[in-house]
Amino acid sequence: MQLTYLSHSCFYLETGEHRLIIDPFLSANPRAKARPEDIDCDYILLTHGHDDHLGDAIAIARRTGATIISTFEVAMYCGRQGVKVHPMQQGGAWNFPFGRVKLTIAHHGSAHITEDEIVYLGNPAGILITTGGKTLYHAGDTALFLDMKLIGELDRIDVALLPIGDNFTMGPEDAARAVEFLNARLAIPMHYGTFDLIDVDPQRFVERVGADARVMAIGETIEI
Ligand code: NI
Ligand code: MN
């Protein structure tokens, strides 16, 4: 699969004839170069309902006809806005045409917050995607948790996408510990630098992890 970093926690995956986007926070993201109007995909995967993850998902789904895959609460919330959804829940897996998706636990919040209301959207998730014999783990927003060892035991993780921005999620030191727990072959930092509150130098993460970590530039594509 080809993995492209679009900034914050947003990644674009191409696998065979399928195209996926995870947490498409683009139009309101000061660092994103890609625009939602240019995204072509058949599936949109969402880790939780916060705006910097749900982002432009509805608009992209409406325009492309893509199916949104997320937790039951986030999926139902999106479904009410007239887009195709596939609801799942943490611990469950499903075989899609592009490969297998399993949702994992994540320790964080999940809500859609507008000017006049807060809609709570259940528990946040991490996402495991297995396609072409490779497994990618997108941790979503989360604290460090010991069950990451179990996640790494149940699936051989080729690439782990881990939040390092601190304040709302793991910081670089905890994220480096997560790489050990997960026994991931390659770790890529995300969820940093977008806002002042998460303005963390990713080299702090890379130095702790060593050769198994690399920073992806915004817009960069790697083959997994
Ligand atoms: Ni969040
Ligand atoms: Mn976030």
Side-chain angles (χ1 to χ4, degrees):
M1 72 179 119
Q2 284 196 312
L3 178 73
T4 303
Y5 185 44
L6 297 182
S7 89
H8 202 57
S9 296
C10 180
F11 290 83
Y12 185 73
L13 271 85
E14 290 173 89
T15 170
E17 64 203 61
H18 296 286
R19 294 165 308 283
L20 288 60
I21 194 166
I22 307 173
D23 286 355
F25 174 55
L26 300 172
S27 59
N29 175 347
R31 297 190 76 206
K33 294 171 186 162
R35 297 183 312 162
E37 310 88 83
D38 299 329
I39 300 297
D40 181 21
C41 61
D42 352 21
Y43 293 92
I44 301 166
L45 296 95
L46 303 176
T47 58
H48 62 294
H50 289 158
D51 263 351
D52 59 321
H53 300 262
L54 183 65
D56 301 291
I58 302 288
I60 295 170
R62 279 209 182 108
R63 182 177 51 77
T64 60
T67 300
I68 292 179
I69 301 168
S70 191
T71 61
F72 184 76
E73 292 83 359
V74 172
M76 290 300 111
Y77 180 77
C78 294
R80 285 191 178 191
Q81 297 176 62
V83 300
K84 276 188 278 177
V85 296
H86 181 110
M88 298 181 69
Q89 209 60 284
Q90 292 83 349
W94 183 258
N95 289 317
F96 290 91
F98 60 85
R100 172 181 179 263
V101 172
K102 185 178 183 184
L103 295 191
T104 70
I105 60 166
H107 290 292
H108 188 68
S110 183
H112 189 243
I113 300 170
T114 64
E115 272 179 23
D116 40 33
E117 62 175 355
I118 297 178
V119 181
Y120 281 98
L121 292 171
N123 293 309
I127 302 171
L128 287 161
I129 301 170
T130 303
T131 175
K134 298 286 172 75
T135 296
L136 176 138
Y137 170 54
H138 186 297
D141 279 357
T142 187
L144 178 64
F145 55 93
L146 193 58
D147 282 350
M148 284 178 176
K149 284 189 176 176
L150 183 60
I151 293 171
E153 279 174 24
L154 295 176
D155 283 282
R156 181 76 179 94
I157 295 172
D158 293 285
V159 184
L161 313 175
L162 300 172
I164 65 153
D166 226 331
N167 193 72
F168 298 113
T169 68
M170 298 187 281
E173 292 75 24
D174 282 7
R177 197 72 190 273
V179 180
E180 281 174 37
F181 287 173
L182 292 162
N183 194 23
R185 281 188 181 161
L186 175 66
I188 294 164
M190 62 177 182
H191 209 270
Y192 67 90
T194 320
F195 316 112
D196 288 345
L197 285 174
I198 57 171
D199 191 11
V200 161
D201 181 356
Q203 290 308 322
R204 272 172 59 196
F205 172 72
V206 171
E207 279 162 19
R208 280 189 177 249
V209 176
D212 298 338
R214 64 162 294 179
V215 173
M216 283 184 76
I218 293 168
E220 185 181 359
T221 299
I222 60 171
E223 180 76 40
I224 292 165

